[in-house]
Amino acid sequence: MSSTAWKETAYDVTYEATMTSLARRRAEDADFSPDKARGILQHLYIQDGNDWAGRGELQDLQLQAMIAAHEAFIAAWEREI
């Protein structure tokens, strides 16, 4: 495994898990909407900016993957509507 392969794996695993979670929530929660997903995304943006203590590389990658998954999920959902 290359020295950066773990980064790609961590990002991909987190991205896919987040997409699966969002899809499950959309299917099971009638109150879940693109606006509620955007609210979660806003909190993730805030969390990303609140790195005054330093999260570390793994946690940064995971947060980036969660943000990207939310952005992609919301965009796809809104194209359906």
Side-chain angles (χ1 to χ4, degrees):
M1 177 181 278
S2 75
S3 62
T4 60
W6 70 268
K7 294 177 187 181
E8 292 174 27
T9 300
Y11 183 96
D12 292 344
V13 166
T14 302
Y15 183 93
E16 291 303 322
T18 302
M19 290 295 275
T20 299
S21 175
L22 288 165
R24 184 178 306 123
R25 183 161 180 199
R26 180 180 176 193
E28 296 174 359
D29 183 354
D31 291 330
F32 192 55
S33 66
D35 283 338
K36 288 191 178 184
R38 266 192 296 282
I40 296 168
L41 179 58
Q42 290 302 317
H43 286 283
L44 291 171
Y45 288 146
I46 291 167
Q47 186 178 355
D48 187 40
N50 288 340
D51 189 21
W52 62 271
R55 282 184 290 269
E57 195 168 6
L58 177 59
Q59 289 177 325
D60 282 338
L61 285 169
Q62 291 170 327
L63 185 55
Q64 291 167 9
M66 287 189 291
I67 288 170
H70 276 78
E71 290 171 340
F73 187 83
I74 293 165
W77 194 354
E78 289 180 335
R79 281 192 301 271
E80 290 176 23
I81 299 174

